[in-house]
């Protein structure tokens, strides 16, 4: 199957400054996703979408192809769909599917990418999408809104007999998204009954959004060696 990897890397960040290229154990954060895609050896193209020539230079240094965004796709209001629609519209030739790899998931390796791609291809007759997930930190029975009167009226479980092992919920971890282009452009997101789950461990699912995530990623990366 013909497939491409897409790594979105807009410059700037309201949380961690220049998060997508922040140094992590000797490399810019974005490099881990580029290397995972290239080392998997399963893509016809590995494309970094960015609005920054500086980011583009880093992407090229680590072996990726660069597509620069226009101003409309460089703001905080630009959605993932808008960015992917633009890239797919500028991609020559037909592709069977694309893989979105967010640069904030550095613990995701080429093994995960390859396993997810193989799983999707084996089930592509039944599924149009794949999303990586992790076991949720808290099962849904423990995550409820609080009433306007500050009551716990929505927590209606008898917690005296609650056993965590009796519940197993999952949440998307942000590491891997796969889609058939036509189905994605039609649906505009990756989720639903036609979406296959690829389960990853909590350690491999670290998604860097703030300083705590970043420090955790440093610890885990050093342990990995």
């Amino acid at each position: 199957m013909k497939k491409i990897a897409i790594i979105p890397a807009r410059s700037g960040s309201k949380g961690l400054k220049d998060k997508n290229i922040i140094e992590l154990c000797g490399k810019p954060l974005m490099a881990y996703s580029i290397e995972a895609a290239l080392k998997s050896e399963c893509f016809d193209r590995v494309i970094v979408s960015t609005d920054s020539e500086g980011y583009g230079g880093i992407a090229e240094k680590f072996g990726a192809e660069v597509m620069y965004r226009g101003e409309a796709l460089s703001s905080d209001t630009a959605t993932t769909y808008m960015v992917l629609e633009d890239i797919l519209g500028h991609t020559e030739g037909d592709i069977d599917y694309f893989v979105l790899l967010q640069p904030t998931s550095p613990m995701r390796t080429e093994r995960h990418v390859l396993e997810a791609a193989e799983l999707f291809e084996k089930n592509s007759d039944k599924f149009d999408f794949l999303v990586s997930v992790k076991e949720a930190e808290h099962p849904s029975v423990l995550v409820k809104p609080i009433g306007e009167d500050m009551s716990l009226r929505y927590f209606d479980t008898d917690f005296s007999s609650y056993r965590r092992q009796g519940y197993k919920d999952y949440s998307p971890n942000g590491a891997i998204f796969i889609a058939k282009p036509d189905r994605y452009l039609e649906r505009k997101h990756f989720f639903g009954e036609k979406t296959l789950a690829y389960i990853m461990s909590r350690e491999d699912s670290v998604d860097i959004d703030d300083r705590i995530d970043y420090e955790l990623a440093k610890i885990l990366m050093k342990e990995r060696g």
Side-chain angles (χ1 to χ4, degrees), residues 148-160:
E148 292 181 3
D149 60 353
M150 298 302 291
S151 72
L152 299 182
R153 66 177 66 183
Y154 301 108
F155 289 80
D156 53 3
T157 299
D158 178 6
F159 290 101
S160 64

Side-chain angles (χ1 to χ4, degrees), residues 132-196:
S132 60
V133 300
K134 64 176 180 179
E135 186 174 347
E137 181 179 359
H138 302 294
S140 58
V141 69
L142 294 179
V143 183
K144 306 288 183 181
I146 294 176
E148 292 181 3
D149 60 353
M150 298 302 291
S151 72
L152 299 182
R153 66 177 66 183
Y154 301 108
F155 289 80
D156 53 3
T157 299
D158 178 6
F159 290 101
S160 64
S161 59
Y162 168 80
R163 294 178 68 255
R164 178 179 174 83
Q165 293 81 2
Y167 301 86
K168 187 169 285 192
D169 291 323
Y170 295 86
S171 61
N173 66 1
I176 302 172
F177 298 87
I178 298 179
K180 299 174 183 175
D182 56 340
R183 296 294 294 120
Y184 178 77
L185 292 173
E186 176 185 332
R187 191 167 182 79
K188 300 184 179 181
H189 64 80
F190 295 92
F191 299 92
E193 64 180 13
K194 286 290 189 177
T195 304
L196 181 64

Side-chain angles (χ1 to χ4, degrees), residues 96-117:
D96 293 289
Y97 64 89
F98 69 88
V99 180
L100 173 65
L101 302 173
Q102 299 191 120
T104 50
S105 298
M107 306 307 294
R108 176 239 300 115
T109 68
E110 66 271 18
R111 175 179 64 84
H112 299 117
V113 174
L114 189 56
E115 286 180 354

